[in-house]
Amino acid sequence: MSAEAAVRAHGLVKAFGDGEARIRALRGVDFEARLGEMSFLVGPSGCGKTTLLSLIAGLLAPDDGELEVLGREPQRLGRREQVDFRRDNLGFVFQQYHLLPALSAAENAAVPLIAAGRPRRIALERAGALLAELGLAARAGQLPKQLSGGEQQRVAFARALVHEPRLVLCDEPTAALDADTGQRVLELLRAVALRPDRAVVVVTHDARILAYADRIAHMDDGRITRVEGGSSGERP
């Protein structure tokens, strides 16, 4: 695995169901996401984007092909090893923010650190500092219901980044946001999350945010059909 590659997939195959109901979600996917880059997976609904993201996260196992994530093969890890690997190395951002309604913004952002056994005070300090980077210092004590959609998504970003993961996986992070808010939160994600030792992979239908990608992998019918960007390090 190249020192620059956070994710490298070759010939990935994944199907669901049996017999006539069998659906081939991935049909031999080759994909690479590099450290220091924001890679987008785009394509129509049902083309396999979220399935590929789930394989990268270790939530599903491929039926065939090769997959390395940060130098490890998720499908070869035991259940406990997979949980520990995700906890220590991966951050997740979803379309629905999945914030805990009874916790403040800072407490929600601190959850990964608290779950990893870090002292609550230290976890909240780190979460508060990250929320400040995301422009939410004044909102850290608010409950999710007191925040706008864009603010809730920024809290979700903080939660994904608070434990310093090397790989951040985002599934339709702007789908529930209006155009202006979606672009602002992607700009913030790029500014705060992207650094030389971290890769960000974003699944999206939102053409309005493609300018924030370093490389764009287009998917259709379970395959990557073309890749834009990445060779020169410039955004397309």
Side-chain angles (χ1 to χ4, degrees), residues 175-200:
L177 305 175
D178 62 65
D180 289 343
T181 303
Q183 291 183 37
R184 285 199 299 271
V185 298
L186 253 293
E187 185 175 336
L188 280 168
L189 176 64
R190 186 174 178 91
V192 174
L194 205 58
R195 61 191 197 189
D197 62 345
R198 176 184 289 150
V200 181

Side-chain angles (χ1 to χ4, degrees), residues 35-60:
L35 297 172
E37 290 187 355
M38 184 175 284
S39 301
F40 281 28
L41 289 165
V42 303
S45 296
C47 71
K49 303 185 303 294
T50 297
T51 299
L52 177 55
L53 201 73
S54 296
L55 264 63
I56 293 169
L59 302 175
L60 294 174

Side-chain angles (χ1 to χ4, degrees), residues 12-23:
L12 284 187
V13 174
K14 183 64 182 179
F16 301 97
D18 297 302
E20 294 183 359
R22 187 171 177 82
I23 297 173

Side-chain angles (χ1 to χ4, degrees), residues 2 6 25 28 32 45 59 64-65 68 73 78 85 107 113 123 135 144 147-148 150 158 166 173 182 201 211 221 226:
S2 164
E32 184 175 271
S45 296
L59 302 175
D64 199 3
E68 291 186 11
E73 297 179 63
F85 181 76
E107 290 168 332
L113 290 179
L147 303 175
S148 69
R166 295 185 63 207
V201 178
D221 194 25
R226 62 189 173 96

